[in-house]
Amino acid sequence: MMHFFRNHFGMTVSIIIALILSICMSTTAIIWDKLTFSIELLLRNWGTAFLTIMLISLLLPVKMMGDTFSGRLGLKPDTLPFGLVSNLIPTLFYNTGATLILVGVNVGFSAPYYWQAFRADFGIMFVVSYVLSLIAERIGMIVAKKACQPIHPHL
């Protein structure tokens, strides 16, 4: 799979971020909501969160929006403050989308307490998403730098 995205650095980073965030968010949802843990529930939540995060990253330039926002605040790229601020916007989009969908999958979209459950989950999910997005982005960059090396036709 990595060979397919060999020249697509950003896509590689997005996939790594989506994988890490979705597994951690799905696990957090099960634990935080005190659901009975099962592999089926974990896989359903993980798949749902992964697809949601990937769709958001494919449809919206959230990382670019975060970088632009950080730049407008006068922060210098490749600094800790820039990274902390630039990850807020993608995390807000990924977390909101995944939490909306995960709550619906776990309690039902038409449940009378859907919005109450969303509000209860949103805060903890945002904290988990934000911290993990900082870590996942670094991991994604490392993997992408190795996977997206220029292809040498003579080697």
Side-chain angles (χ1 to χ4, degrees):
M1 185 162 115
M2 287 305 225
H3 183 69
F4 178 74
F5 293 118
R6 194 166 198 80
N7 294 321
H8 300 286
F9 188 88
M11 183 58 74
T12 303
V13 174
S14 294
I15 289 171
I16 300 297
I17 291 170
L19 283 170
I20 293 172
L21 283 182
S22 59
I23 193 69
C24 292
M25 286 182 76
S26 61
T27 305
T28 301
I30 292 169
I31 294 168
W32 185 256
D33 293 337
K34 298 176 181 71
L35 301 172
T36 303
F37 182 83
S38 71
I39 297 298
E40 183 269 331
L41 180 60
L42 179 65
L43 290 175
R44 184 180 65 199
N45 281 354
W46 170 74
T48 302
F50 180 76
L51 286 174
T52 303
I53 292 168
M54 281 305 298
L55 284 173
I56 291 168
S57 70
L58 290 171
L59 297 175
L60 300 171
V62 291
K63 183 59 180 154
M64 188 170 55
M65 291 166 30
D67 290 347
T68 301
F69 180 67
S70 293
R72 287 191 178 158
L73 292 177
L75 302 172
K76 293 182 178 22
D78 298 324
T79 62
L80 181 62
F82 185 91
L84 293 173
V85 173
S86 72
N87 273 314
L88 283 173
I89 291 176
T91 300
L92 184 63
F93 278 90
Y94 297 153
N95 178 64
T96 302
T99 304
L100 282 167
I101 301 299
L102 282 173
V103 168
V105 166
N106 288 323
V107 303
F109 289 98
S110 61
Y113 49 87
Y114 173 83
W115 289 108
Q116 182 181 7
F118 172 78
R119 284 189 301 274
D121 283 359
F122 185 80
I124 188 69
M125 296 295 263
F126 185 81
V127 171
V128 168
S129 297
Y130 182 67
V131 170
L132 287 172
S133 73
L134 297 170
I135 296 166
E137 182 181 28
R138 293 293 163 222
I139 293 169
M141 297 288 271
I142 291 168
V143 171
K145 283 178 183 174
K146 289 182 180 180
C148 297
Q149 293 292 324
I151 299 172
H152 301 289
H154 303 293
L155 297 179

